């Protein structure tokens, strides 16, 4: 027997997809979320900083959502940036920037995801569903998933692709389009650090830079320190989504730091943090972005992209999660009345806006 056609299917239970699902449910729209991971506890050792635009968007999605996320985040007041100049640190320049009234919070990606997931009824979140592609028929969008060892088709009237930088929804919409490699390799880790070592002030981001090499260390809340380190890498190694390092991966990170320490002692705090990190907690990936699209929806407005699937960007400006929340907020506001009215033309107009 054919499965019933659902109203809304969201592909990807990351920050954007869950924020949208939470907002739609709070407005009485029953949106289903399909996630490729077997559960929502998987981690990528990342924390994200959230500025005022993220807080505004989160509270637009559900009043009080930003306070819930801030309750497990750390408040950051300043950034201390050290720009390495010449040998032995003699030419290093240090600049401290204060955020003033513009609050900046840092939260573990996984903690933010748990809080968002807790706002969506569990029966609407379907893990172990890997989207392969979709096709359109008169009545619905048919989503083809790999689910365990089997392929299954789920039909929805409206689909949101929130499946991140390697989006399968985007690939089905624009088959030739691929993420762009920015020739940078990045390592990051969250180290449980209840007073074990001190490499930054509690409410300060410590940033160190030398040409394309950059690191930052910051309190990520819940007694965790986040370190992020990247260097230029022009190799053509194929590495699509990254993963946790083994001992040789950790040795490579320390080797890269030692090269930088040869020109400035400013890199010492990073070395302390990396040495205190178990190899299996260091996540390695290449930095990629997406070339802007002319449209984030398909031609008849039944499939729309959001978050990294729509506009993945270099994470230097720290706006990826923030703009995913802004997308979720706008989609909640525009789609909810159109979905509640059940008029396909209203929905198309909402997507166009
Ligand atoms: C080291 C690092 C630091 C960062 N720092 C910041 C920061 O300070 N501030 C900031 O705002 N942003 C930051 N970002 C970026 C931010 O993490 C992303 O922009 C944000 O998570 C994007 O949200 P999303 O929901 O679009 O995608 P994601 O959070 O990536 O979620 C996508 C989801 O889709 C699932 N999925 C993927 N493919 C499929 C498929 N085929 N079928 C089903 N499910 C699928 C994935 O498993 C995942 O759960 C940082 C990123 C990194 C890596």
């Amino acid at each position: 027997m054919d499965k019933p056609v659902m109203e809304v299917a969201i592909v990807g239970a990351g920050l954007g997809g869950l924020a949208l699902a939470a907002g739609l449910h709070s407005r009485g729209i029953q949106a289903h979320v399909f996630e490729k991971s077997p559960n929502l506890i998987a981690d990528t050792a990342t924390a994200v900083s959230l500025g005022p635009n993220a807080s505004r968007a989160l509270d637009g999605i559900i009043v009080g959502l930003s306070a819930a996320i801030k309750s497990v985040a750390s408040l950051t007041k300043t950034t201390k940036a050290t720009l390495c100049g010449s040998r032995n640190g003699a030419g290093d320049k240090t600049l401290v920037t204060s955020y003033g009234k513009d609050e900046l919070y840092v939260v573990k990606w996984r903690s933010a995801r748990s809080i968002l997931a807790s706002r969506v009824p569990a029966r609407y979140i379907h893990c172990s569903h890997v989207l392969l592609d979709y096709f359109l028929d008169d009545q619905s969008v048919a989503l083809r998933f790999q689910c365990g060892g089997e392929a299954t088709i789920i039909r929805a009237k409206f689909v949101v692709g929130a499946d991140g930088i390697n989006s399968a929804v985007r690939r089905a919409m624009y088959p030739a389009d691929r993420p762009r490699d920015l020739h940078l390799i990045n390592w990051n880790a969250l180290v449980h650090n209840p007073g074990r070592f001190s490499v930054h002030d509690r409410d300060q981001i410590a940033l160190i830079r030398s040409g394309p090499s950059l690191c930052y260390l910051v309190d990520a809340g819940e007694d965790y320190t986040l370190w992020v380190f990247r260097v230029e890498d022009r190799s053509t190694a194929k590495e699509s989504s990254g993963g946790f390092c083994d001992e040789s991966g950790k040795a490579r990170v320390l080797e890269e730091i030692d090269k930088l320490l040869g020109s400035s002692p400013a890199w010492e705090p990073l070395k302390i943090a990396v040495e205190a990190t178990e190899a299996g907690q260091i996540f390695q990936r290449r930095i990629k972005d997406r070339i802007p699209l002319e449209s984030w929806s398909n031609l008849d407005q039944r499939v729309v992209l959001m978050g990294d699937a729509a506009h993945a960007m270099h994470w230097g400006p720290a706006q990826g999660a923030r703009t995913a929340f802004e997308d979720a907020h706008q989609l909640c506001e525009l789609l909810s009345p159109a979905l509640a009215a059940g008029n396909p033309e209203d929905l198309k107009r909402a997507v166009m806006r």
Side-chain angles (χ1 to χ4, degrees), residues 150-301:
E150 289 174 16
T152 182
I153 291 191
I154 285 159
R155 291 176 194 279
K157 290 185 191 159
F158 186 72
V159 170
V160 182
D163 49 346
I165 183 158
N166 296 306
S167 171
V169 179
R170 180 163 170 157
R171 194 168 55 239
M173 205 184 273
Y174 297 98
D177 181 74
R178 289 286 179 275
R180 176 172 62 170
D181 190 300
L182 297 177
H183 306 296
L184 293 162
I185 188 161
N186 187 90
W187 297 274
N188 53 275
L190 283 162
V191 195
H192 193 225
N193 184 20
R196 276 168 58 209
F197 59 86
S198 171
V199 283
H200 56 80
D201 285 351
R202 190 153 182 80
D203 53 8
Q204 186 171 68
I205 300 177
L207 188 144
I208 305 151
R209 174 161 212 166
S210 175
S213 302
L214 177 145
C215 86
Y216 59 87
L217 301 122
V218 66
D219 180 354
E222 302 175 273
D223 285 336
Y224 278 81
T225 287
L226 168 74
W227 63 258
V228 176
F229 175 44
R230 65 167 181 257
V231 299
E232 192 170 39
D233 184 316
R234 296 208 161 255
S235 70
T236 50
K238 287 252 185 307
E239 204 188 320
S240 55
S241 53
F244 284 97
C245 287
D246 55 15
E247 284 299 334
S248 68
K250 179 174 172 177
R252 155 107 198 256
V253 183
L254 288 167
E255 201 179 297
E256 295 287 350
I257 298 169
D258 281 341
K259 282 189 227 159
L260 291 160
L261 271 168
S263 59
S264 171
W267 294 91
E268 195 59 44
L270 177 65
K271 186 165 182 179
I272 294 169
V274 174
E275 281 176 339
T277 311
E278 281 174 35
Q281 292 175 354
I282 301 175
F283 201 91
Q284 173 177 314
R285 53 162 87 70
R286 297 183 71 81
I287 300 186
K288 296 181 183 177
D289 71 358
R290 286 285 200 173
I291 309 257
L293 294 171
E294 290 204 353
S295 167
W296 293 342
S297 53
N298 74 327
L299 283 179
D300 72 356
Q301 323 298 340

Side-chain angles (χ1 to χ4, degrees), residues 12 14 16 35-36 49 109 113 129 131 163 285 308 318 320-322:
E35 165 62 37
K36 75 172 179 186
S49 66
W109 184 90
R113 173 152 98 159
H129 279 69
L131 184 80
D163 49 346
R285 53 162 87 70
D308 277 4
R322 304 183 203 188

Side-chain angles (χ1 to χ4, degrees), residues 10-19 33-37 39-40 42 44-51 53-54 104-107 109 113 126 128-133 144-146 161-169 171 186-189 205 216 226-230 283 285-287 306-325 327:
I10 299 170
V11 183
L15 300 186
L18 286 171
V33 187
F34 295 92
E35 165 62 37
K36 75 172 179 186
S37 310
N39 53 52
L40 295 190
T44 53
T46 310
V48 293
S49 66
L50 303 175
N53 60 333
L104 190 82
Y105 286 85
V106 180
V107 63
W109 184 90
R113 173 152 98 159
H126 312 274
S128 299
H129 279 69
V130 184
L131 184 80
L132 302 174
D133 56 15
R144 272 198 332 122
F145 287 99
Q146 188 71 35
D163 49 346
I165 183 158
N166 296 306
S167 171
V169 179
R171 194 168 55 239
N186 187 90
W187 297 274
N188 53 275
I205 300 177
Y216 59 87
L226 168 74
W227 63 258
V228 176
F229 175 44
R230 65 167 181 257
F283 201 91
R285 53 162 87 70
R286 297 183 71 81
I287 300 186
M306 67 173 291
D308 277 4
H311 44 64
M313 58 192 89
H314 188 304
W315 57 79
Q319 288 294 330
R322 304 183 203 188
T323 47
F325 293 143
D327 292 351

